Amino acid sequence: MSNARPPIEERFPRPSVMGVVNVTPDSFSDGGVHLQPAAAVAAAWRMLDEGAAIVDVGGESTRPGSEGVSVDEELRRVVPVLEGLHGAPVSIDTAKAEVVRRAVGLGAELVNDVTALRGDAAMAEVVADSGVYLCLMHMQGEPRTMQLNPTYDDVASEVAAFLGERLRFAVDSGIPEQRICLDPGIGFGKTVEQNFELVRRLDVLVALGRPVVVGFSRKSSLGRVLGDPTARTGPLAASIAAAVAAYERGATLLRVHDVRPHVEALTVAAAVIAE
Ligand code: HH2
């Protein structure tokens, strides 16, 4: 079965949308909304109906300041949701190999690891053996402290160097390159300006030769650039603008909370660009 999976660029044509389903009490913008499995499952099916290519199910918040949850708690949150999504295109947002094992058994086709295989020593082997797609994301520091003082000499080239190194590590661990996509990790140890610079210079990441995922949806930088220095999220119109800008700069997969308006905007942007 694993050998039958097409390259990730065929599975997700540019632009594709990944819908966010956080089964957490404390996520950035939708914490608590999908904590009941039935609500999460219904929201995910609706996102797929609205045009999401895949839904990203996560049981651990990575918002700035968060502490992380145990394997048992994460499984308790996500397993009923994955069961309710059987047969649907699902990604599992986790840094834990045990959660991946269970999720793949329940049909997940993509592992979204915000630690880029650094969080759990068993992760690379589990991903390699299960034949699923993998997203490697950049993060400076760890969620508990990452927004305290993000520092780079040149954010785009440093993020690219990190993702290039993680890509080599993944391939050396037996995960075929064609199953891997890369993500600059908007908001993960970056200032507002660094987040925007990463999108502005997305070509530096696209040059690594793998599809690029961008998740700007509802992030605080969007509210801050609109003039609220204490914003914790950003409005829908700002999320769409950032997604379209990222697509125009070469992103393939846009990770978003509000699927329908993003699909509509990206469909029009694709028609305008007509590559
Ligand atoms: N952002 C979040 C979580 N996972 N995964 C990828 N690949 N890229 C991202 O930008 C990304 C991610 C954080 O956003 P959200 O899911 O809204 O919040 P939380 O981590 O608090 O659940």
Side-chain angles (χ1 to χ4, degrees):
M1 167 188 144
S2 62
N3 288 334
R5 242 179 250 288
I8 195 164
E9 40 272 74
E10 278 176 32
R11 171 67 183 83
F12 299 106
R14 219 174 80 77
S16 289
V17 163
M18 170 187 271
V20 179
V21 182
N22 288 317
V23 196
T24 56
D26 54 349
S27 287
F28 267 135
S29 67
D30 59 351
V33 176
H34 303 137
L35 202 49
Q36 294 302 322
V41 169
W45 283 114
R46 189 168 59 246
M47 289 178 190
L48 293 164
D49 194 47
E50 290 174 353
I54 193 162
V55 285
D56 190 34
V57 176
E60 175 177 47
S61 175
T62 47
R63 79 185 194 292
S66 64
E67 294 279 359
V69 296
S70 67
V71 178
D72 285 348
E73 175 60 15
E74 202 175 321
L75 286 170
R76 195 186 65 73
R77 292 177 185 179
V78 298
V79 165
V81 177
L82 297 171
E83 285 171 348
L85 288 172
H86 198 71
V90 168
S91 154
I92 180 75
D93 186 345
T94 188
K96 298 186 181 74
E98 185 54 32
V99 175
V100 169
R101 274 195 206 99
R102 291 290 293 279
V104 169
L106 290 167
E109 64 171 315
L110 190 152
V111 172
N112 176 23
D113 181 3
V114 299
T115 73
L117 305 179
R118 296 174 301 160
D120 184 334
M123 184 66 109
E125 191 180 338
V126 172
V127 173
D129 289 349
S130 54
V132 289
Y133 297 120
L134 173 66
C135 179
L136 296 170
M137 196 196 79
H138 175 272
M139 171 174 7
Q140 185 181 85
E142 57 180 90
R144 207 167 41 81
T145 52
M146 65 191 177
Q147 289 306 108
L148 295 182
N149 184 24
T151 312
Y152 303 85
D153 288 328
D154 177 345
V155 69
S157 47
E158 286 174 45
V159 169
F162 171 88
L163 291 175
E165 187 278 321
R166 291 286 84 198
L167 176 61
R168 280 191 300 281
F169 174 81
V171 170
D172 290 347
S173 304
I175 304 165
E177 182 162 348
Q178 301 152 314
R179 292 203 191 122
I180 301 173
C181 56
L182 306 174
D183 185 330
I186 299 299
F188 287 84
K190 283 120 192 157
T191 63
V192 173
E193 176 48 32
Q194 286 158 356
N195 286 324
F196 288 116
E197 183 171 350
L198 280 165
V199 173
R200 193 154 59 241
R201 297 179 57 208
L202 208 66
D203 59 321
V204 177
L205 304 186
V206 172
L208 293 167
R210 305 308 311 137
V212 172
V213 179
V214 171
F216 232 125
S217 179
R218 297 188 185 173
K219 286 193 180 158
S220 62
S221 291
L222 301 169
R224 293 185 189 187
V225 86
L226 290 173
D228 177 356
T230 59
R232 297 192 60 224
T233 65
L236 174 59
S239 297
I240 294 172
V244 168
Y247 162 61
E248 200 275 337
R249 296 282 163 138
T252 290
L253 201 49
L254 290 310
R255 184 180 182 278
V256 312
H257 300 79
D258 306 281
V259 168
R260 188 190 298 279
H262 279 87
V263 167
E264 289 174 354
L266 289 161
T267 303
V268 172
V272 171
I273 293 170
E275 294 172 311

